[in-house]
Structures are given as structure tokens and as C-alpha cells.
Amino acid sequence: MISTKTTLAGFEFDNCLMNAAGVYCYDAAELDQMQASKAGTFVTKSATLQARTGNPEPRYLATPLGSINSMGLPNHGLPYYLDYVSQQQIAVPNKIYFQSITGFNIDEDEQLLAQITASDFKGIVELNLSCPNVPGKPQTGYDFETVERILTRVFEVYQGPLGIKLPPYFDIVHFDQMAAILNQFPLAFVNCVNSIGNGLFIDAATETVTIKPKNGFGGIGGDYLKPTALANVHAFYQRLKPEIQIIGTGGVKSGQDVFEHLLCGASMVQVGTALQKEGPLIFDRLTAELKTIMQQKGYTQIADFQGQLKHLD
Ligand code: RRO
């Protein structure tokens, strides 16, 4: 018997695969489809204090090799998602869910966490420090001092299991500096990575940008992202204390991609662009493909190879 079970933050999940925040998690109809899928669990769309309509459309484009988006945080507001998760906790009580949140400053983060504490939420919080698409708001994850300040406050006010979603980093010194900050905190996980911020996908025929917000600039996902995602997963796996687990996100569209994320050190793997393209049935295919690879290699559980990437020295 081959198992794709995993453990994160002390909780067991039947499958190591789930959606990436922002995909199939905007409303109850989408989350119902995630809940009915082969995924081990789901994460909600990043929730803000107030509901938001997001940026003007068109704001998402699937490209031959991935996607570009500038959604601008459309969401129903935190109470909507807490209410949905609360219902699922009753309907399927043995499953643990992720609530993604993002405040526009430390006080908002604190208010969001206070709402979660006051609710009956029993799951894991993913604090998004890396939204690339709100005009005038830089990605928090690139401001190292602010990350440290936010996490200091977060762990003063919140007692439950909590991790963060990071943007991709591109320099070894940045991996070192960020890891040194993160190791000071009782984080349950770090999720590497969000989309590569502010790419540009253009249409040569019409000589125009392809999405409307920010003159066409948007977050890049899919095939373009995988090598960067794997580098971030592995870099943080090597640098973070073992209590901080890694969620791998970026460029996953096959069982081999899942295998590679796990090999680089991920404990759980999220699917964004490919889930948007294929729908939640993708989890059946990815799980079957991962099991085939494990069988060919003689592995029966994720622990047999997780983080075991070999170096050439
Ligand atoms: O909503 C978005 O535009 C968005 C978010 Br919050 C994010 O974290 N990452 C992304 O690619 N898009």
C-alpha cells in the first residue's frame, strides 16, 4: 500500500495535496468542490477585514506555460470564510482546514487574528505576506524589518497554529536573512512561494497588455515558476529549524512536480495555475501519478524521500 498522507503542525492529512490560496476557494460553491475532491484539505481565499471586489477585469489569463493575475484580493471578508469553515468542521469533523488572511497593516492583522480567536476555528492560519497586486502596496515579504515586526505582534496575540506565505526570493543572502528572522518565531510552516510579482505577458498581434490592472503587470504562476519555487522550498528547508515545516507551491501540474517539491523538503504541496486550468479532478490525477513514481522507486510513504534531495558534493 502506497500512502500520500502527511503531517503538518501536528495534524494528519490523508493526502499531501491541496489548493493554493486564490484558486477554487473564493466562495462556498468553489470550496464545496475542493471539499469533495481528492485533496487532503483546502485553504480559503486570503480574507481581509472587509469584503473586496478586487481589481477591474480582465485580471487573470492562462498562458501556454502558466498564468498571469492581478486579482487584487477579491474576497467575501473573513466572517464569510470562518462561517464556511465552521460548517465544514461540523460536517467533516476529522479534517483540518486552512484559513488564509491578509491585513493591510499590523493592526489589521491583529484584528483578523482576534476574530479567528473569537470564532470556533480549529484549523491552521496562513498569513499571506506576499500579495503582489494591490496598487500602492508593496509585497510585505520583501520588507524584512516589517516581517519581523509583524511576526513579533502576531505571536503576542495569537496562540493557534500559524504559518506564512512568502514571495519568491532570488538571492542566497535573502534566504539567509529571512531564515534568521523566521527562526525566532514559533511558526508552524512557511509556504514557498506566492507568484513571481509584477511580470508582464503581452499580445504581440494586438500590441497590448493582456490584463487590465496596473498596466498589465501581474503575478506569474505555472511552469515559469517551478524552478524558483523549488529553490525557495529547498533553501528554507535547509535553513529553518525542523519545527518549521515547508509547504511547496509553484508550477505543480504533474505527479513528478509534486515529487520534486517533496524531495526538496515540502511536507505539503499546493496547486494553483494547473488547478485553475483543470479543476479539482486534477487531484485524482496528481495523486495517481505521484503514487506511480513512488511505486517505481520503491517508496511507500512520503517520509521515505521527503527532503532527501542529493547534492553533487
Ligand atoms: O488576489 C490577488 O491578486 C493575489 C494574491 Br492576494 C496573492 O497572494 N497572490 C496572487 O498572485 N494574487
Side-chain angles (χ1 to χ4, degrees):
M1 269 297 279
I2 294 174
S3 165
T4 59
K5 264 191 198 154
T6 194
T7 302
L8 194 98
F11 300 111
E12 214 177 74
F13 297 87
D14 285 347
N15 195 353
C16 62
L17 286 161
M18 62 185 290
N19 65 311
V23 182
Y24 271 90
C25 59
Y26 172 69
D27 59 15
E30 290 187 348
L31 286 162
D32 283 349
Q33 293 182 67
M34 275 307 302
Q35 181 66 317
S37 79
K38 257 279 171 76
T41 183
F42 63 74
V43 58
T44 71
K45 174 67 184 169
S46 290
T48 48
L49 284 170
Q50 264 82 47
R52 293 169 52 86
T53 53
N55 292 338
E57 295 179 339
R59 58 192 187 182
Y60 184 94
L61 180 75
T63 74
L65 295 178
S67 65
I68 182 167
N69 88 84
S70 184
M71 305 301 289
L73 262 170
N75 77 94
H76 287 286
L78 182 60
Y80 176 93
Y81 299 102
L82 287 177
D83 186 47
Y84 181 83
V85 171
S86 170
Q87 291 168 34
Q88 301 313 310
Q89 286 176 166
I90 295 163
V92 190
N94 52 345
K95 210 161 152 183
I96 292 291
Y97 306 99
F98 286 68
Q99 174 66 60
S100 174
I101 54 168
T102 188
F104 287 111
N105 53 53
I106 295 189
D107 286 339
E108 286 197 10
D109 290 336
E110 187 171 343
Q111 287 177 57
L112 289 161
L113 291 168
Q115 282 188 23
I116 294 174
T117 301
S119 77
D120 62 3
F121 182 71
K122 296 180 182 68
I124 303 172
V125 173
E126 177 174 288
L127 175 63
N128 185 358
L129 297 181
S130 46
C131 176
N133 298 329
V134 179
K137 299 274 180 195
Q139 280 165 270
T140 310
Y142 290 135
D143 178 345
F144 289 31
E145 280 172 27
T146 300
V147 169
E148 187 167 358
R149 269 212 316 279
I150 289 173
L151 292 180
T152 301
R153 178 86 72 92
V154 159
F155 288 107
E156 281 163 7
V157 300
Y158 191 69
Q159 266 72 52
L162 178 144
I164 53 173
K165 179 87 170 266
L166 291 176
Y169 300 99
F170 303 93
D171 195 292
I172 301 297
V173 169
H174 293 159
F175 293 139
D176 292 341
Q177 291 173 342
M178 183 49 68
I181 293 168
L182 301 180
N183 275 329
Q184 299 171 53
F185 298 99
L187 285 158
F189 69 88
V190 303
N191 185 342
C192 305
V193 294
N194 209 316
S195 52
I196 295 177
N198 297 299
L200 189 57
F201 192 88
I202 63 174
D203 182 342
T206 60
E207 304 177 9
T208 52
V209 300
T210 53
I211 56 172
K212 189 168 180 183
K214 293 175 67 180
N215 288 335
F217 285 62
I220 304 295
D223 295 4
Y224 313 104
L225 182 56
K226 193 178 80 168
T228 296
L230 292 178
N232 278 259
V233 167
H234 197 53
F236 284 107
Y237 181 72
Q238 290 176 299
R239 287 167 177 75
L240 294 179
K241 55 188 179 183
E243 306 92 279
I244 306 181
Q245 291 179 276
I246 314 288
I247 298 179
T249 307
V252 174
K253 65 175 187 189
S254 71
Q256 182 176 322
D257 299 325
V258 181
F259 181 80
E260 290 178 11
H261 269 273
L262 295 168
L263 194 65
C264 286
S267 295
M268 196 135 195
V269 178
Q270 297 186 342
V271 189
T273 297
L275 168 60
Q276 185 64 40
K277 273 189 184 141
E278 270 184 63
L281 277 178
I282 195 173
F283 293 108
D284 298 70
R285 179 174 71 75
L286 295 178
T287 307
E289 289 176 5
L290 174 61
K291 283 186 175 174
T292 299
I293 291 170
M294 289 171 67
Q295 187 189 15
Q296 286 163 352
K297 290 174 174 282
Y299 298 140
T300 58
Q301 49 180 354
I302 284 170
D304 292 344
F305 60 93
Q306 194 234 340
Q308 301 298 311
L309 180 67
K310 300 181 191 86
H311 304 152
L312 299 178
D313 49 17

